[in-house]
Amino acid sequence: MSQYVKRFEKNEKGTDWACGDIHGMFRLLQTELDSMGFDPLVDRLFSVGDLVDRGPDPELALEYIAKPWFHAVQGNHEDLAIRWPNGNMDAGNYTANGGGWNVANTPDVQRQFSDAFGALPIAIQVETEGGLVGIVHADCPFPNWPDFVTSLEDPNISKRMHGAIVDAAMWSRERIQNEDQSGVEDVRAVIVGHTPLQKPAVLGNVYHIDTGACFRNGYFTFIDLATLETVPAIPNKLEWEA
């Protein structure tokens, strides 16, 4: 069971980074972290989700989730992996969306991934010198961050409404498709992924940082949560098609 929202105090010793969708590109991710001088003893990496599918290393997701410096929210591809062992998805559709690796797993392994992903929060919030930064996979479906967090954690909200909020947080593309500059109030910034872009985009105070690391000529974008400055990594030149 997800705790829905996970909160982190300000990092007093190192740097807090967030990265775009990983999609099974863990070896490339680690190469980029090493080249950046990422120090796992003091630095932290926050993931906008979509840890698996499409890339060559999805099985490493559980290893990274267990690392004390790595913190991820649920993405829509985690949602697919959570649903799969329960028979709530067509195999062809799942495979077409990159889930063939998991379809081929044994039921026990499928359940391991489902349980691990189900324990991830929907949203993360991190204290920084400049104020609170929110992290969610696709979007904050509320005009302000506190209402979003409160709704996620409200035990009195209807199951249907709660499900709609969670679905929007993991699946919505409204803001980026509409180029909505309204932003999210009562939070310094919101960091999201989900929609692969040729370069990072900022709409109001919402930072879209999925730059398609799993696709040819895509790359990881990292953002320093203290400065909100982005760092693009080298485009993916691997000789395979996602």
Side-chain angles (χ1 to χ4, degrees), residues 5-217:
V5 182
K6 195 168 182 179
R7 296 167 172 83
F8 292 85
E9 297 298 322
K10 186 174 70 170
N11 188 341
E12 301 285 0
K13 296 182 179 180
T15 302
D16 282 343
W17 297 95
C19 69
D21 298 22
I22 297 172
H23 279 302
M25 302 295 293
F26 285 99
R27 289 184 176 89
L28 178 62
L29 173 69
Q30 191 61 57
T31 297
E32 302 299 352
L33 291 175
D34 293 344
S35 71
M36 290 164 55
F38 182 90
D39 184 349
L41 295 179
V42 294
D43 298 336
R44 300 185 294 198
L45 181 65
F46 294 93
S47 163
V48 296
D50 276 7
L51 305 179
V52 293
D53 301 342
R54 300 190 175 129
D57 316 315
E59 74 283 352
L60 294 180
L62 298 185
E63 178 181 321
Y64 272 75
I65 287 173
K67 293 180 185 295
W69 49 265
F70 182 86
H71 308 282
V73 295
Q74 279 186 43
N76 60 301
H77 283 260
E78 280 72 61
D79 189 28
L80 297 177
I82 292 166
R83 296 182 189 188
W84 174 247
N86 300 320
N88 296 333
M89 194 170 12
D90 173 71
N93 181 53
Y94 189 24
T95 300
N97 281 284
W101 68 277
N102 197 26
V103 172
N105 280 333
T106 65
D108 284 348
V109 172
Q110 291 171 359
R111 181 57 62 185
Q112 287 178 33
F113 279 98
S114 177
D115 290 348
F117 293 160
L120 297 176
I122 301 301
I124 283 174
Q125 55 184 45
V126 185
E127 293 287 352
T128 73
E129 190 71 38
L132 193 69
V133 173
I135 300 168
V136 63
H137 179 61
D139 197 13
C140 170
F142 284 79
N144 67 78
W145 184 260
D147 281 356
F148 175 46
V149 169
T150 298
S151 296
L152 285 174
E153 297 181 317
D154 185 355
N156 298 314
I157 198 169
S158 72
K159 185 176 181 180
R160 182 176 180 180
M161 178 60 72
H162 191 270
I165 294 167
V166 169
D167 280 352
M170 290 192 292
W171 290 87
S172 176
R173 287 194 167 95
E174 265 190 54
R175 187 183 304 273
I176 190 71
Q177 288 176 342
N178 295 336
E179 299 183 3
D180 181 355
Q181 295 279 354
S182 63
V184 179
E185 297 178 357
D186 301 321
V187 66
R188 180 187 178 205
V190 177
I191 315 297
V192 303
H194 187 49
T195 301
L197 305 171
Q198 290 186 342
K199 60 182 181 179
V202 184
L203 296 173
N205 63 340
V206 181
Y207 291 71
H208 297 256
I209 63 167
D210 178 16
T211 43
C214 67
F215 299 113
R216 191 180 301 275
N217 295 322

